[in-house]
Amino acid sequence: MDLPIYDRFAAGLHSLTAALVIVLILLGLGAEPLRDRIDEFAMLMLHKWLGMTVFVLTLARLAWRIGHPPPPLPDTTPAWQRSAAHLVHWVFYAFLLGLPVLGYLLSSGGPYPLNWFGLIDVPKAPVTKSLADAAHRAHVVGGITMAVLVLVHVCAALWHQFVQRDRLLARMRIG
Ligand code: HEM
Ligand code: HEM
């Protein structure tokens, strides 16, 4: 039976975004506790560069999705699983755009200039201290929530692969 799969561009962007998000979460959560061993400033600078990259990749992913909708799920997928998957996917897109915006706002209130990989200067937003502080709090809560959602999403993918054995992972394969 032919399995409908995501196209290569969508699957490639998914893999790239997934790898970047995992690194982003580790850099974000690790920067403070590891500050005595690794340069905290460098970790956060890399975090900002990769976070801005995720923002642009997500816009590209969503634009592509308009013309290339996801392949239909098998008819056997229960309604609650369909709804849960759709919900988590859209919440992901909201976080993939919202977290970089919050990160940008919080960093705009900080003392360091913003750029993308040292190549492109990014102008700061004219934020007040209270807006930057609110963005900071929301970014921390949002970042931790995203880490939990990623765990749930990966566990769901592995459950399908090894318990349900319905080859769901193959829908997102690159090659
Ligand atoms: C780490 C960050 C990750 C993020 C932010 C993420 C995000 C997403 C999003 C937004 C979708 C929906 C795609 C769409 O319909 O437009 C999706 C689908 C999917 N993801 Fe991830 N993902 C991540 C990691 C992973 C990992 C590590 C795996 C594998 C173990 C995985 C397996 C899948 C699969 C199989 C689908 C397709 C589900 C379906 O067939 O409907 N994801 N992911
Ligand atoms: C999808 C993209 C992003 C994710 C998943 C993410 C995630 C995180 C996480 C998990 C933390 C650690 C929170 C904590 O302290 O417990 C963090 C911190 C931080 N992020 Fe992001 N982030 C993203 C994008 C960005 C961007 C684009 C910027 C700036 C342009 C940014 C700036 C920062 C800064 C400055 C901190 C340190 C905050 C502090 O002092 O505690 N982030 N981020």
Side-chain angles (χ1 to χ4, degrees), residues 6 14 18 61 65 70 89 92-93 150 153-154 169 171-172:
Y6 281 83
H14 172 266
R61 170 82 183 92
R65 200 182 197 273
H89 294 169
F92 265 147
Y93 284 122
V150 166
H153 176 71
V154 172
L169 266 187
R171 279 162 59 83
M172 243 334 163

Side-chain angles (χ1 to χ4, degrees), residues 21 24-25 28-29 32 44 47-48 51-52 54 95-96 99-101 103-104 106-107 114 136 139-140 143-144 146:
V21 165
L24 271 162
I25 291 174
L29 294 178
E32 212 180 302
L44 282 179
H47 178 92
K48 292 176 195 177
M52 292 183 218
V54 164
F95 277 70
L96 290 169
L99 279 176
V101 170
Y104 168 67
L106 91 86
S107 301
L114 275 176
H136 191 164
H139 190 77
V140 171
I144 293 169
M146 174 104 193

Side-chain angles (χ1 to χ4, degrees), residues 3-4 7-8 20 34 42 50 52 80-82 86-87 95 97 101 110 118 120 124 134 138 144 149 152 167 175:
L3 177 81
D7 61 86
R8 269 191 199 180
L20 288 176
L34 293 178
L50 297 180
M52 292 183 218
W80 73 267
Q81 275 181 31
R82 267 170 209 277
H86 279 146
L87 182 70
F95 277 70
L97 294 176
V101 170
I120 302 173
K124 288 182 167 186
I144 293 169
L149 281 177
V152 172
R167 295 168 64 223

